[in-house]
Amino acid sequence: MAILIRKTRLKNGAILDQRDSEFHSDTLTLGSDSHSDLQLFGDDVAPRHATLQLEPSGHITLRALGEHALETDAGRLDNIELEPGDSVRLGPHRIELIEVPPGFDAALELRVDDDAKPDIRHRYAEALRLKLPSGRALSYISALLIIVAGLAIPLAGYFQPEFAAKTQSLPTPSDHLWLSGPLSDPHHVPGVADNCQSCHSTPFKQVGNAECSACHQHTTAHFIAPHPGVTDNAEQCTNCHKEHNEPSMLIVSDNALCINCHAQSLQRSAGNIGQSDTIAAATAFSEKTHPGFKVALLQLQQGGDELVWQRVAKSLDRPETREHSNLKFSHQLHLAGNEIKVSGAGGGERNLQCADCHTLAPDGEHFQPITMESSCQRCHSLDFNDQQPRRELPHTDGDELYYYLEEFFISAAVKMRNSDSEPAERWVPNWEMKQRCEGLNTLECGQRLADWEAEQLFNKTGCINCHQVSKVDGQTPRRWQVKPVRLVQDWFISSRFDHRPHVLGPEGTDGACLSCHQADTSEHASDILMPKLDTCVSCHGSEQHSQRSLQCVDCHAFHRDGMPAMASGLPQSHPPLTPGEGAP
Amino acid sequence: MYSNVLNYRGKRYLWLALGLLLVSVLLYLSQRPTLPPNGGSWQGYVLGSIALTMILWLSWLGIRKRRYQSNLGSLQGWTSAHIYLGIVVPLIATLHGAFQFGVNVHTLAWALMCLVVLSGFYGLYAYLRHPRAMVENRANQSFDERLADLAAADEKALALGAQCDPGVDAVITSCIERSALGGGFWDQLLQRDRSTVLLPTDRGERMSDNRNQDAVANYIADSLTRSSKAGEAQRLQQLLAIVVRRRELLCRLRREISLQLRLKLWLSIHIPATVALLAALLVHIFTVFFYW
């Protein structure tokens, strides 16, 4: 719509000039601002003072903006609908509705007091004021928001659980905003992960043993009761178990954890085996600070009236420390060059490898027991008779083996008696057997043949190749016995070791075994092929390879199977357990 | 050598800050192998205390710079220390928190601290760069002097306009009245020229864009070609010269306003973020010991 504005300038009350302007808009702005459609100056004129609206009805409405007012004969108004002949004062100026000329929808006369032009500084004062955000307001608002959302609301929820319960359904702040680090995985359970107060029960007080025991009273394999020196209730669970610690590690791996108590025993142990008397409190895993390794050996010991197998610890550094397993075996022979071959994956042949016999157990530390059937028999057949080459002896103890031989050869003697074959110039089946049975009846023949075979197996070739065999006096004809095999299943019972990162790691090859276990030079079964301290130190010594340094608990387990539940070591402050709870 | 807050007294506070950082790194590294580094270890507490003390001291600059009678070192020294120590605070605080972040009040404090320091970086850049640009822009004239120049040019243009054709007089008057300076935040920052002018048309005056006074300059130039009255051409020539002079004055004034805004704008983030940081630190410390 077109509006005609007739601008009449007055100077000292006299008309200076008159000009018409045409606006094609429904709304015009009035004020001292240079963007105003109708620019007016004067002390009482604001940069954006009012708007002028052409209504669809043809009326004109003036609306004051903000605190500014429009003056009429009737007084100060905020909103005026102009009728023909009406006039409104806006500061020193006057607006009047005039007769609408043809081609326009409305017409106004603006009588402008030209004397009201302000000084240039005054005129631009507002426009030149730097439009910076109010730092003070922002400061107060942001600080208040943080204190309310981060402190007041969570704190209210702490003291008023009903309030917390009400707000939990809403995305309102809670004490989870106070989380200082992620919970460890085992604690991601309902009741703990969603309730900070399950552990933080008392404000400004560290989490105590009672809070841990409230859930862990049935946790077994805990040290409190049996471990000497740490049964004092003053000892806090949190001394060793740190929560909210990234990466999610609940257990402190600090050497001081062990050395605070074990420095003297470690020092004594190191001294006993000829190492440095001062081990610098064993603060590092090195040849100078860590005692040499001891292996657990099985030895026959006097247990009351009889000899029993017992586990004894022997230092690996002593040359007399050898294993007495009653086996004969040479690792060197089996791993030697090109002598022993097995079929390879591609159909060809390859050298025997450690893993052909040693299969890692699921725990990654131990190996599956080696048996005749699983490891030896595919190369070492137990066949014994040329006429029945597919028949094999049972891999069993001496008595049972002798019964088997006797039954076999008595049966063979019966068959031989019933045949009419005569000795001949050339070799014929059973010729030697017939020779040995000359003059004996069938039963005696079978027994003699069994004796002869047993003599071969136990004294010349066969069992005696791999086993220690003893001669049993006074039990004719059963004169031989295989000594029982006693193999150690866990050499280092006080330590933990994971083969997987060592064998399957970036250096993982078949040769990885031999880099720690000197099997390729071991000639005797009594050799103990466990690595000594220097082998481990060569990679894990803190001085040489700090990035692979070890802490005590990396190798030494603290909690052991068979230990009682925590409840047996509950602190006195803990509330009594219900009957039947917490018993080891 | 040109002296500023960065090379104050042989950069002594740079070395102090680096020394503090070195001590902090050693403290941080000493946590292994005892624990995964954490704000709750004794080293973490020490690092946190260092960072807290530094933040409180750095915040004190806002008060110190208003205490003109203070004998506690020169303000330039304080500012130099404020900058260098302020730069290492986030590093020390990050070591205190052992690079652990999450949706919590502790990370909020850290983030606010980073915001304070980043805005401080901009402030340092602005204080090193903009004053020189302002001096060059002023050309030995203060803001008020240039404003007075503009007023004088306006007076002269109005006087000349009154002697010209009424149409020219009206355009000159309108051009002066509607010459825009400053304005809103973006107008000030981007030096936008939102000047307008009412130019005559067949059906009366019509509002036109007068950016860079181009519309008025064109109008006067056109009038010049049409002028036939004695002395009109000379007056129009003079008017044209005044329009060009006004254009330059307006441009310089806008640039100065923009530079002033840029010089102070960072404080609108730096100060509120600092206050928010202090509030967040209060919450951080309280909550850590509340749920100890």
Side-chain angles (χ1 to χ4, degrees):
Chain A
M1 290 198 237
I3 306 175
L4 175 74
I5 305 290
R6 178 158 295 154
K7 191 174 177 182
T8 305
R9 287 199 297 162
L10 302 167
K11 200 155 185 86
N12 297 323
I15 293 176
L16 193 64
D17 59 19
Q18 195 171 54
R19 288 194 192 91
D20 288 348
S21 304
E22 179 185 337
F23 290 89
H24 290 271
S25 172
D26 292 343
T27 308
L28 304 180
T29 56
L30 292 89
S32 62
D33 191 273
S34 57
H35 310 315
S36 301
D37 297 316
L38 302 177
Q39 194 179 25
L40 301 166
F41 299 108
D43 291 341
D44 299 327
V45 181
R48 286 173 53 77
H49 197 110
T51 58
L52 190 150
Q53 176 84 35
L54 177 60
E55 307 292 349
S57 61
H59 290 103
I60 284 185
T61 307
L62 267 174
R63 289 190 181 85
L65 297 171
E67 299 294 316
H68 317 294
L70 304 165
E71 291 180 34
T72 66
D73 295 337
R76 290 165 66 87
L77 294 172
D78 294 334
N79 203 337
I80 303 164
E81 189 171 306
L82 292 174
E83 299 289 338
D86 283 354
S87 70
V88 178
R89 287 191 301 281
L90 200 151
H93 317 290
R94 180 178 289 271
I95 300 170
E96 279 186 28
L97 210 58
I98 58 171
E99 192 179 341
V100 182
F104 290 91
D105 298 298
L108 285 169
E109 183 181 5
L110 196 59
R111 298 175 74 86
V112 178
D113 181 2
D114 212 42
D115 297 322
K117 280 188 178 173
D119 174 73
I120 194 165
R121 289 181 190 81
H122 187 259
R123 184 182 147 200
Y124 285 118
E126 174 57 26
L128 293 178
R129 189 179 58 77
L130 292 180
K131 302 293 188 298
L132 289 167
S134 169
R136 196 175 292 257
L138 273 177
S139 301
Y140 291 148
I141 290 169
S142 55
L144 193 67
L145 272 176
I146 288 168
I147 288 177
V148 169
L151 191 62
I153 294 178
L155 211 54
Y158 178 85
F159 290 111
Q160 295 290 331
E162 307 84 38
F163 173 75
K166 277 182 189 172
T167 55
Q168 267 179 357
S169 57
L170 304 168
T172 49
S174 70
D175 57 359
H176 280 76
L177 286 177
W178 299 353
L179 203 67
S180 63
L183 275 176
S184 56
D185 291 342
H187 282 162
H188 274 287
V189 291
V192 176
D194 54 5
N195 180 16
C196 303
Q197 293 162 49
S198 61
C199 297
H200 300 280
S201 57
T202 312
F204 301 109
K205 193 178 171 190
Q206 279 187 310
V207 174
N209 290 352
E211 285 82 9
C212 302
S213 303
C215 293
H216 288 281
Q217 56 187 263
H218 297 300
T219 304
T220 56
H222 206 269
F223 74 94
I224 286 183
H227 195 93
V230 285
T231 53
D232 185 357
N233 287 340
E235 193 72 24
Q236 293 287 316
C237 302
T238 51
N239 288 356
C240 306
H241 299 280
K242 299 287 187 189
E243 187 47 283
H244 303 299
N245 214 2
E246 284 184 295
S248 295
M249 272 180 64
L250 197 55
I251 302 164
V252 173
S253 58
D254 185 3
N255 272 348
L257 181 75
C258 309
I259 292 166
N260 284 347
C261 297
H262 289 280
Q264 285 187 345
S265 58
L266 286 169
Q267 187 173 330
R268 191 167 54 247
S269 177
N272 285 346
I273 56 175
Q275 295 187 356
S276 169
D277 285 340
T278 56
I279 61 163
T283 51
F285 181 65
S286 70
E287 284 185 88
K288 291 180 181 174
T289 58
H290 193 282
F293 293 166
K294 288 182 178 177
V295 287
L297 293 177
L298 291 171
Q299 285 191 349
L300 275 172
Q301 304 274 326
Q302 192 68 42
D305 294 335
E306 56 184 7
L307 287 171
V308 291
W309 288 99
Q310 285 190 340
R311 204 156 50 183
V312 293
K314 295 284 185 184
S315 170
L316 264 180
D317 297 303
R318 295 172 185 255
E320 64 269 25
T321 301
R322 304 191 72 77
E323 188 186 27
H324 303 288
S325 62
N326 292 332
L327 274 177
K328 296 175 186 172
F329 183 81
S330 168
H331 277 93
Q332 183 192 40
L333 186 66
H334 284 76
L335 294 173
N338 299 319
E339 293 180 19
I340 299 178
K341 300 286 186 186
V342 292
S343 50
E349 287 190 331
R350 61 169 175 80
N351 292 339
L352 192 67
Q353 293 174 350
C354 306
D356 289 327
C357 300
H358 297 283
T359 306
L360 195 61
D363 66 2
E365 177 177 354
H366 301 93
F367 285 83
Q368 303 287 9
I370 290 181
T371 63
M372 177 70 185
E373 293 75 15
S374 67
S375 300
C376 312
Q377 203 161 359
R378 65 171 166 165
C379 297
H380 298 283
S381 168
L382 293 179
D383 64 299
F384 64 102
N385 188 272
D386 294 339
Q387 293 177 47
Q388 299 184 51
R390 298 180 66 179
R391 188 143 189 176
E392 294 191 353
L393 289 169
H395 188 253
T396 182
D397 63 43
D399 283 352
E400 198 173 327
L401 182 68
Y402 192 84
Y403 293 141
Y404 183 91
L405 288 172
E406 203 171 50
E407 287 166 9
F408 177 85
F409 282 109
I410 290 172
S411 171
V414 170
K415 289 177 185 171
M416 188 172 62
R417 289 283 178 201
N418 293 337
S419 68
D420 294 330
S421 59
E422 291 294 328
E425 291 296 320
R426 59 182 178 82
W427 181 87
V428 294
N430 296 336
W431 182 82
E432 283 187 345
M433 288 174 61
K434 285 188 174 181
Q435 287 284 94
R436 293 189 187 113
C437 287
E438 208 167 341
L440 299 176
N441 62 32
T442 305
L443 182 61
E444 289 170 340
C445 173
Q447 286 175 337
R448 173 165 295 185
L449 290 173
D451 283 344
W452 183 86
E453 189 63 37
E455 178 76 17
Q456 295 296 313
L457 288 171
F458 289 119
N459 200 27
K460 294 180 179 168
T461 181
C463 307
I464 199 168
N465 286 344
C466 302
H467 291 274
Q468 296 281 358
V469 177
S470 61
K471 195 171 185 180
V472 181
D473 293 331
Q475 291 189 19
T476 306
R478 295 163 192 165
R479 299 163 294 174
W480 304 95
Q481 191 174 46
V482 174
K483 290 188 177 180
V485 176
R486 303 290 182 190
L487 283 172
V488 171
Q489 181 64 18
D490 195 349
W491 292 96
F492 296 129
I493 55 173
S494 297
S495 65
R496 296 177 295 183
F497 181 84
D498 193 347
H499 281 92
R500 287 168 293 201
H502 292 81
V503 177
L504 304 177
E507 300 165 12
T509 61
D510 288 332
C513 305
L514 300 179
S515 64
C516 294
H517 303 280
Q518 296 175 334
D520 52 342
T521 57
S522 167
E523 295 182 16
H524 306 291
S526 60
D527 294 339
I528 296 174
L529 302 182
M530 300 311 290
K532 295 180 182 177
L533 175 64
D534 56 356
T535 307
C536 299
V537 166
S538 64
C539 287
H540 292 288
S542 56
E543 292 171 8
Q544 294 92 331
H545 301 282
S546 58
Q547 73 277 19
R548 299 175 188 167
S549 63
L550 296 175
Q551 305 302 302
C552 302
V553 291
D554 288 330
C555 302
H556 296 286
F558 195 82
H559 300 270
R560 298 279 188 74
D561 292 338
M563 295 295 184
M566 276 180 71
S568 60
L570 281 180
Q572 291 175 347
S573 58
H574 193 272
L577 303 173
T578 53
E581 282 188 336
Chain B
M1 184 183 171
Y2 171 65
S3 172
N4 62 20
V5 290
L6 291 183
N7 53 31
Y8 177 80
R9 297 275 171 96
K11 300 181 182 173
R12 66 158 65 157
Y13 295 110
L14 169 64
W15 299 115
L16 174 69
L18 287 176
L20 212 50
L21 184 61
L22 180 67
V23 170
S24 301
V25 170
L26 292 176
L27 260 176
Y28 173 79
L29 293 176
S30 74
Q31 291 178 99
R32 291 190 185 279
T34 304
L35 273 175
N38 187 268
S41 65
W42 73 262
Q43 293 95 332
Y45 281 125
V46 171
L47 287 168
S49 302
I50 293 172
L52 174 68
T53 310
M54 289 173 73
I55 287 170
L56 292 177
W57 181 84
L58 290 163
S59 306
W60 189 255
L61 182 71
I63 296 167
R64 165 66 183 85
K65 71 178 183 182
R66 288 174 176 79
R67 294 196 172 173
Y68 305 106
Q69 304 299 321
S70 173
N71 294 322
L72 288 171
S74 72
L75 193 56
Q76 193 183 25
W78 271 68
T79 310
S80 181
H82 182 90
I83 291 165
Y84 284 122
L85 295 176
I87 288 171
V88 298
V89 160
L91 304 174
I92 296 173
T94 307
L95 294 176
H96 158 63
F99 303 92
Q100 297 175 20
F101 305 105
V103 183
N104 52 48
V105 291
H106 319 291
T107 300
L108 174 67
W110 181 87
L112 285 169
M113 179 196 54
C114 291
L115 182 62
V116 171
V117 175
L118 286 175
S119 61
F121 269 122
Y122 173 73
L124 178 62
Y125 162 80
Y127 270 102
L128 292 177
R129 187 176 183 276
H130 293 336
R132 182 176 293 231
M134 287 171 79
V135 167
E136 288 171 0
N137 184 60
R138 280 176 183 168
N140 292 325
Q141 263 194 317
S142 71
F143 191 88
D144 282 347
E145 283 171 346
R146 240 167 311 143
L147 212 52
D149 259 11
L150 183 66
D154 289 352
E155 287 290 325
K156 202 170 174 183
L158 285 170
L160 276 168
Q163 297 172 35
C164 293
D165 178 79
V168 173
D169 181 31
V171 168
I172 292 295
T173 306
S174 170
C175 151
I176 289 169
E177 288 177 352
R178 293 179 178 278
S179 289
L181 257 183
F185 173 78
W186 292 109
D187 292 337
Q188 291 184 344
L189 184 72
L190 303 175
Q191 305 173 54
R192 278 183 191 153
D193 183 358
R194 299 183 68 184
S195 299
T196 53
V197 64
L198 285 168
L199 289 178
T201 64
D202 295 341
R203 295 187 62 181
E205 293 173 323
R206 179 166 285 186
M207 192 84 81
S208 299
D209 184 2
N210 191 28
R211 196 177 308 162
N212 285 324
Q213 307 293 304
D214 287 345
V216 171
N218 286 334
Y219 178 82
I220 294 172
D222 287 345
S223 302
L224 196 59
T225 58
R226 291 194 302 267
S227 67
S228 55
K229 290 181 189 172
E232 178 89 347
Q234 190 182 0
R235 285 191 288 276
L236 287 171
Q237 284 280 14
Q238 289 174 339
L239 269 178
L240 199 55
I242 292 171
V243 168
V244 173
R245 169 72 179 149
R246 286 185 81 249
R247 170 158 64 187
E248 188 205 351
L249 283 168
L250 288 166
C251 186
R252 283 174 178 269
L253 286 168
R254 279 191 204 99
R255 179 159 168 74
E256 177 145 354
I257 293 166
S258 174
L259 288 170
Q260 281 183 7
L261 186 73
R262 289 188 224 174
L263 198 60
K264 293 180 178 173
L265 178 61
W266 68 281
L267 281 171
S268 297
I269 301 170
H270 197 67
I271 303 301
T274 302
V275 175
L277 166 63
L278 293 174
L281 278 176
L282 173 75
V283 176
H284 161 63
I285 295 166
F286 177 86
T287 56
V288 159
F289 289 106
F290 189 80
Y291 275 177
W292 202 4

